[in-house]
Amino acid sequence: MKKNLIDFLRLSFPFLLTIGLWRLSAPFWNPGGILAIIPIFFCSFANPVKWFGIFSIFVCLCLDYNFETVCFWIAIYCLFYAINGFQSIVDITRMDKNGLPAFMVFFGIAILIQVFSNLSFTSLGRGIWMFVFVCAMYMPITLLIQRMRHD
């Protein structure tokens, strides 16, 4: 019984962490729950988890709700999912640092689109801060996911 519970918690940890990061939104440290994009990317591309793609679309919809955007995060996720599926040059699952360079490209493009859609010094500063902070939090969160999923 105890082993079954531990196995269930290990399998469900990425899903629960994603929801938790989305719900723990704070204006400065986690605006709109943006840290949830880390497990979405990691568990979809770098270390694929069964059924996480469908769940990721749902959480991207929740991010769109928090950011008051119309299908922006869903479109970015689906675009990157399609690019990753059609290309054969870069294998994110075998990248160093848990796919951090690919995440920086994915998240950087999304932040640039948001900054240039409403170009001002405030949006530029907020975009730079979000990019630096989320990329700095990528390794600790992905290492936590890996640690919880393995024995």
Side-chain angles (χ1 to χ4, degrees):
M1 177 67 177
K2 183 179 177 182
K3 185 173 178 0
N4 291 340
L5 179 64
I6 291 172
D7 289 341
F8 172 75
L9 290 175
R10 284 189 178 174
L11 289 174
S12 64
F13 182 74
F15 298 93
L16 297 174
L17 179 67
T18 305
I19 292 171
L21 288 173
W22 173 71
R23 288 291 297 154
L24 291 174
S25 64
F28 187 71
W29 297 106
N30 190 11
I34 194 64
L35 287 178
I37 204 75
I38 294 171
I40 287 172
F41 180 86
F42 182 69
C43 294
S44 294
F45 304 115
N47 188 6
V49 173
K50 265 187 167 179
W51 299 101
F52 208 84
I54 296 167
F55 178 75
S56 296
I57 291 174
F58 171 72
V59 178
C60 285
L61 179 67
C62 294
L63 284 173
D64 284 330
Y65 174 76
N66 279 356
F67 277 97
E68 296 178 0
T69 55
V70 180
C71 298
F72 175 76
W73 290 106
I74 292 174
I76 293 293
Y77 175 79
C78 291
L79 177 68
F80 202 80
Y81 195 87
I83 290 170
N84 186 49
F86 286 125
Q87 62 86 26
S88 61
I89 299 169
V90 178
D91 186 10
I92 298 175
T93 59
R94 298 179 195 267
M95 277 186 143
D96 293 337
K97 299 179 183 170
N98 295 336
L100 178 62
F103 176 76
M104 291 173 74
V105 169
F106 166 74
F107 192 67
I109 290 171
I111 292 299
L112 279 176
I113 292 170
Q114 285 187 338
V115 165
F116 285 122
S117 69
N118 184 19
L119 191 57
S120 68
F121 286 116
T122 306
S123 68
L124 181 64
R126 184 174 294 136
I128 292 170
W129 164 248
M130 280 183 20
F131 180 77
V132 169
F133 182 68
V134 172
C135 288
M137 293 303 295
Y138 183 81
M139 286 306 291
I141 291 174
T142 58
L143 290 175
L144 178 66
I145 292 171
Q146 283 182 330
R147 177 77 174 124
M148 291 300 293
R149 291 210 23 108
H150 296 297
D151 294 320

